[in-house]
Amino acid sequence: MTNEARNEFPYEERCAATLREIESCPEFEVYDARLGDISPPLDEALRIFDKLANRHGLSFGQEARDHFFRFDEVETYWRLNRPDSELVGEFHLTHVYRSVMENGLHHTWEGTDDEERALNRELKVFDDTPRTGSGRMAMLRARRGTTDPEIWYFDMHEGAMLMDLGYADYLDTLLITKGTIGWQYLYCSAGFGDPGFTPLADGLKEMLDVFPRLFPEYDYSDLKARLRERT
């Protein structure tokens, strides 16, 4: 990655740095940490955002544009290297244009009633977990006329849940958490309290116990506060 690319696409540099942090962490067993391919014309940020606005009615603000990455995907999968640990992480980011064009939630989960089916047709998956097979996905809501689309989170039990953060904030938090499974529930009003959530809560508690030591340059105070509110 050239210095010019780093200056023009700062989020790419941050993704690459996060993958290096994961790979170099002595307490992680890392199965995958990879930047995907860059393919024209998906490498032209201005053209991509113009298409999303003009053809699909999706206008992203400057903060989201500053988080553009050219790779078709960015992914990692890791576990904390302790036999009794619940801590596991995965993310699989998809290029924003491919997410809108190819990754409609309704292709995999149609919905059970008219309201849910209508919502699912608007939800476009941009982060999922194919390696752990959890069925959890983060999606932007692609409604015409939208500026900075809503971010939703899906699991098989709760369905789609509106998240309390935007696209750029999601991408930032993903790097802080290194994709720890279940971090998204800290920004949802649903999901906690179900017996099936207990292992995820344990993993999040463990993350917030060990990450400040493993990655001291990051601020985990907001995540800790959100976990306290939910447990």
Side-chain angles (χ1 to χ4, degrees):
M1 194 180 300
T2 66
N3 288 333
E4 181 180 355
R6 286 199 295 267
N7 291 334
E8 188 175 356
F9 306 105
Y11 189 71
E12 289 185 4
E13 182 178 11
R14 293 173 59 201
C15 286
T18 295
L19 297 184
R20 290 194 297 270
E21 290 170 348
I22 291 170
E23 289 183 299
S24 63
C25 180
E27 299 186 30
F28 281 3
E29 184 172 357
V30 181
Y31 306 100
D32 198 4
R34 187 180 71 87
L35 298 171
D37 297 325
I38 297 176
S39 304
L42 297 182
D43 58 341
E44 300 175 22
L46 182 59
R47 180 177 180 180
I48 291 300
F49 285 114
D50 282 348
K51 280 187 176 181
L52 290 173
N54 297 330
R55 297 186 182 182
H56 305 284
L58 292 172
S59 298
F60 287 83
Q62 189 59 49
E63 189 176 16
R65 290 169 181 254
D66 289 342
H67 286 68
F68 177 79
F69 57 91
R70 296 168 296 165
F71 302 104
D72 59 352
E73 56 190 5
V74 181
E75 59 183 331
T76 188
Y77 173 38
W78 55 265
R79 290 181 179 273
L80 194 67
N81 194 13
R82 297 178 187 171
D84 59 343
S85 176
E86 299 287 352
L87 190 54
V88 57
E90 179 182 15
F91 62 77
H92 177 242
L93 289 175
T94 301
H95 188 287
V96 63
Y97 193 73
R98 286 188 55 213
S99 296
V100 172
M101 293 300 296
E102 302 172 9
N103 289 0
L105 178 62
H106 67 287
H107 294 316
T108 56
W109 187 260
E110 183 179 359
T112 58
D113 56 41
D114 289 344
E115 182 178 2
E116 186 178 20
R117 284 190 283 269
L119 171 64
N120 290 355
R121 284 193 292 271
E122 295 178 339
L123 297 177
K124 311 296 182 180
V125 179
F126 68 89
D127 180 29
D128 63 339
T129 52
R131 297 290 294 275
T132 53
S134 68
R136 297 181 177 91
M137 298 173 275
M139 305 153 295
L140 58 88
R141 189 174 187 181
R143 290 189 291 183
R144 294 195 66 85
T146 297
T147 300
D148 290 328
E150 298 170 349
I151 302 303
W152 290 65
Y153 192 58
F154 177 88
D155 73 28
M156 299 295 290
H157 298 289
E158 299 288 341
M161 301 169 279
L162 179 63
M163 295 188 69
D164 182 27
L165 80 180
Y167 180 69
D169 291 332
Y170 183 100
L171 295 179
D172 287 340
T173 309
L174 187 70
L175 300 188
I176 294 171
T177 63
K178 309 294 186 280
T180 294
I181 296 297
W183 73 263
Q184 294 90 343
Y185 292 100
L186 298 177
Y187 294 85
C188 299
S189 59
F192 282 80
D194 187 300
F197 183 76
T198 300
L200 293 178
D202 290 343
L204 294 176
K205 290 174 184 176
E206 190 173 7
M207 174 191 76
L208 294 172
D209 180 48
V210 302
F211 272 27
R213 173 176 57 84
L214 296 177
F215 309 107
E217 64 272 31
Y218 294 96
D219 181 5
Y220 294 95
S221 56
D222 181 61
L223 294 168
K224 288 181 177 179
R226 288 177 177 272
L227 183 60
R228 284 195 299 269
E229 291 171 356
R230 290 162 171 78
T231 54

